[in-house]
Amino acid sequence: MIKHFLSVIALLCLFVSCEKTIKDSSPIKGLITKNAMVVSARAEASKIGSNILKKGGNVFDAMCATQLALAVAYPFAGNIGGGGFMVYRKANGEIGSIDFREKAPLAATKDMYLDENGEVIPEKSTLGAMAVGVPGSIAGIFDIHEKLGSMPIEDIIQPVIDLANKGVIVTKKQARAIREYQPLFPKVNKYPIIFDKRWKENDTIKYPALAKTLERILKFGKHEFYKGETAKILAKFIQENGGIVTEEDLAKYEAIWRTPITFTYDDLKIISMAPPSSGGICLAQIMKMLEPFPLDEFGHNTLKSIQAITEAERRSYADRSFYLGDSDFIKIPVETLIKENYLSGRMAGFSFDQATPSSSVSHGNIQIIESNETTHYSIIDPFGNAIAVTTTLNGAYGSKLYCSELGFFLNNEMDDFSSKPGEPNMFGLIGAEANSITPEKRMLSSMTPTIVEKNNKLYMTLGTPGGSTIITSVLQTILNVHEFNMGMQEAVNAPRFHHQWLPDEIRIEPNAFNKNLIKKLKTLGYSINEKDSPILGKVDGILVLEDNSYEGGADYRGDDTAIGF
Ligand code: GLY
């Protein structure tokens, strides 16, 4: 009955031009719109982005507004003190991407997180000022606006300043998240911060300091953040708290336009992020390893599908840990890594009769890990341009270091480097020399903002947070639509699993998989971990339907919301 009611609503949405929002714990059909859509982690951010599109702005204008609005409405991961990646596809088919990932400060050293015995110092790369990489988000926003935007920047930033002044209502999930991380804030910050208060659901948090920072950024542009008063306050603040980011680091920061990774899978063309993200390469590896298997015949989340996907993931993550890092500093054999004959060789040893132990797949005896608490948004504008943006502070509330004068959290992205090759990071990923710390180098990421074409036309834009599980969540969502005929929301809702080579286990969402299936996987030699990941990713995506309308998939696992018209 409820399903039927939602379908009617969705159908009605096709014909009404007013703004529509559907939010339910897990609807089977997402919001459907005719012209444009924004799907992000918070309704406030999706609304600001959608309003920009309504006023005639394009997807790039909406990106700038949504990114900044998430810094206000979703301080858990939305940011101006972190970084990210955007992949785009213009209506004319032109594609591109920009890297506004953080980078290591000039004073960074390879062993900066090790003690005199060469052991990793606990929490040094995750908590507090030493964990902070040079932030890239403001550079990304302004470079995107300068090259691809169409609206005056005032019209983009002012609504976000207004939101910061007016305040944002605390959701149930947000109240829980603040409570969970609250014990860490006084550990890192010398003085009380706004998030020390016992915020409850439906309280309103106002962000006047962030509003002031944004006002200055609006007035003086990106140089305010990297060379102006904000830069001076920020560098001084980080150093006073024991960090090493200097005014020179900020002044030298540049976002970088990069050629995306592209590959085909059946009749799809996938466009995803190149290094320093591992997302595009790993997604390409896994999908090309899977292409020969009839997954549609195996069925969704069946024994054979899970086996094939797991084995492809295992092999790709083994390569990831050894080969991948910042391509501006190391040589990555990208072409070879995604070549069909290389990948069919990688799968040669796989049999449905038993699991391949990760110890026999290795490329070196090392693993890699990253953080979970990233965020993703997808936007399509009325002109048919599309973007996928994944952005992060790394951990939840980043390093937990909050600059009260400027009104934002600083990232702990330095933990995405391998502090000590062979040692797992906060996500259990193990890294190699390729991802060791060097001044000005970008740390390896798993962020996988992805756009999919079908028959040369825009088909999907999607991505997710989830650290090392980002790549496999994006993969499963694409497969859910393409192989298993799901709509966008259904594909987002579907239970997910994850394998990352090391640890040698399949992580699954709790109570979402059939007990018999789990038993069979165990019999075949797979170790199943149902405890460590109550949530695997929070995918936000948009699917172009056959009648050219859009279906949003906003992940019910968070406060994610699709808004459009
Ligand atoms: N910090 C998470 C990632 O970049 O993958």
Side-chain angles (χ1 to χ4, degrees), residues 84-208:
F85 302 106
M86 176 184 84
V87 171
Y88 68 85
R89 182 189 185 277
K90 289 198 198 168
N92 65 8
E94 187 187 320
I95 60 168
S97 67
I98 186 167
D99 155 4
F100 50 98
R101 179 75 163 162
E102 300 92 326
K103 60 182 201 175
L106 289 159
T109 59
K110 190 175 171 187
D111 296 338
M112 63 191 277
Y113 298 114
L114 305 184
D115 64 16
E116 58 281 4
N117 301 318
E119 297 306 324
V120 174
I121 303 167
E123 297 186 340
K124 196 171 178 187
S125 66
T126 55
L127 266 187
M130 274 304 282
V132 179
V134 185
S137 291
I138 291 293
I141 289 169
F142 276 86
D143 288 9
I144 289 165
H145 182 256
E146 188 183 333
K147 182 168 163 177
L148 300 163
S150 67
M151 270 177 115
I153 196 78
E154 300 76 54
D155 295 352
I156 294 169
I157 300 185
Q158 192 56 49
V160 183
I161 295 173
D162 296 343
L163 177 71
N165 281 322
K166 184 171 136 238
V168 180
I169 294 175
V170 176
T171 64
K172 191 173 177 178
K173 285 177 180 150
Q174 187 183 12
R176 201 188 307 138
I178 295 174
R179 258 200 315 281
E180 186 183 340
Y181 290 95
Q182 234 161 18
L184 294 174
F185 299 147
K187 226 174 139 174
V188 166
N189 293 284
K190 290 184 185 160
Y191 306 102
I193 66 168
I194 193 169
F195 295 97
D196 289 329
K197 209 178 134 184
R198 298 293 289 174
W199 295 106
K200 299 184 303 303
E201 187 182 0
N202 294 325
D203 284 347
T204 298
I205 310 184
K206 295 187 178 182
Y207 300 96

Side-chain angles (χ1 to χ4, degrees), residues 101-110 112-113 128-135 235 238-239 242-253 329 411-415 417 437-443:
R101 179 75 163 162
E102 300 92 326
K103 60 182 201 175
L106 289 159
T109 59
K110 190 175 171 187
M112 63 191 277
Y113 298 114
M130 274 304 282
V132 179
V134 185
I238 294 173
Q239 286 164 36
I244 55 172
V245 174
T246 60
E247 283 183 46
E248 188 185 359
D249 282 312
L250 291 164
K252 286 188 83 172
Y253 186 87
F329 284 72
N411 69 81
N412 60 350
E413 217 69 60
M414 290 297 285
D415 188 60
F417 280 116
I437 304 171
T438 305
E440 298 205 84
K441 189 176 175 183
R442 277 140 148 99
M443 52 297 280

Side-chain angles (χ1 to χ4, degrees), residues 101 370-371 374 392 394 413 416 445-447:
R101 179 75 163 162
E370 288 120 38
S371 123
T374 297
T392 189
N394 195 23
E413 217 69 60
D416 272 352
S445 171
S446 290
M447 292 191 281

Side-chain angles (χ1 to χ4, degrees), residues 52 56 59 65 114 128 194 199 207 225 246 275 306 345 399 416 446 455 472 486 495 526 528 532:
I52 292 287
V59 82
L114 305 184
I194 193 169
W199 295 106
Y207 300 96
F225 191 90
T246 60
I306 294 178
S399 61
D416 272 352
S446 290
N455 302 323
T472 58
M486 295 185 200
Y526 294 97
I528 307 294
D532 287 354

Side-chain angles (χ1 to χ4, degrees), residues 205-452:
I205 310 184
K206 295 187 178 182
Y207 300 96
L210 181 53
K212 283 212 165 60
T213 302
L214 292 174
E215 272 165 20
R216 285 200 305 277
I217 290 172
L218 168 53
K219 198 160 167 199
F220 302 114
K222 82 170 170 186
H223 292 312
E224 168 59 25
F225 191 90
Y226 292 102
K227 293 181 179 164
E229 190 187 337
T230 303
K232 286 187 178 36
I233 297 169
L234 187 55
K236 186 162 171 271
F237 173 76
I238 294 173
Q239 286 164 36
E240 278 172 1
N241 281 280
I244 55 172
V245 174
T246 60
E247 283 183 46
E248 188 185 359
D249 282 312
L250 291 164
K252 286 188 83 172
Y253 186 87
E254 299 278 355
I256 301 173
W257 294 95
R258 297 195 187 271
T259 305
I261 298 286
T262 53
F263 62 97
T264 58
Y265 178 88
D266 295 346
D267 57 352
L268 304 180
K269 178 180 169 189
I270 318 280
I271 304 149
S272 194
M273 196 62 214
S277 178
S278 59
I281 291 178
C282 289
L283 189 62
Q285 285 198 307
I286 298 169
M287 293 191 81
K288 294 308 271 185
M289 282 189 261
L290 288 173
E291 204 173 21
F293 294 91
L295 293 181
D296 53 342
E297 285 170 26
F298 293 168
H300 177 249
N301 281 355
T302 56
L303 182 67
K304 278 192 151 182
S305 278
I306 294 178
Q307 277 189 275
I309 293 169
T310 295
E311 296 299 344
E313 289 175 354
R314 183 199 307 278
R315 286 154 176 81
S316 175
Y317 276 78
D319 278 353
R320 177 195 192 281
S321 72
F322 187 78
Y323 289 111
L324 302 190
D326 183 348
S327 51
D328 293 341
F329 284 72
I330 55 153
K331 179 122 193 64
I332 303 176
V334 179
E335 296 303 320
T336 311
L337 283 170
I338 62 175
K339 244 198 185 114
E340 273 169 49
N341 57 1
Y342 170 73
L343 293 167
S344 56
R346 291 290 276 155
M347 280 301 262
F350 160 57
S351 148
F352 282 109
D353 295 339
Q354 69 176 77
T356 316
S358 284
S359 54
S360 72
V361 170
S362 96
H363 221 303
N365 305 317
I366 42 179
Q367 322 162 11
I368 307 175
I369 300 198
E370 288 120 38
S371 123
N372 249 335
E373 291 87 2
T374 297
T375 189
H376 176 87
Y377 51 98
S378 293
I379 309 180
I380 301 180
D381 70 19
F383 313 104
N385 304 305
I387 58 164
V389 183
T390 315
T391 179
T392 189
L393 287 166
N394 195 23
Y397 307 104
S399 61
K400 283 61 177 181
L401 183 65
Y402 184 79
C403 181
S404 293
E405 188 174 356
L406 297 174
F408 60 88
F409 279 107
L410 288 150
N411 69 81
N412 60 350
E413 217 69 60
M414 290 297 285
D415 188 60
D416 272 352
F417 280 116
S418 29
S419 298
K420 180 181 178 187
E423 288 282 317
N425 72 359
M426 66 189 269
F427 297 100
L429 287 174
I430 297 181
E433 284 302 329
N435 188 33
S436 61
I437 304 171
T438 305
E440 298 205 84
K441 189 176 175 183
R442 277 140 148 99
M443 52 297 280
L444 184 62
S445 171
S446 290
M447 292 191 281
T448 314
T450 299
I451 292 178
V452 183

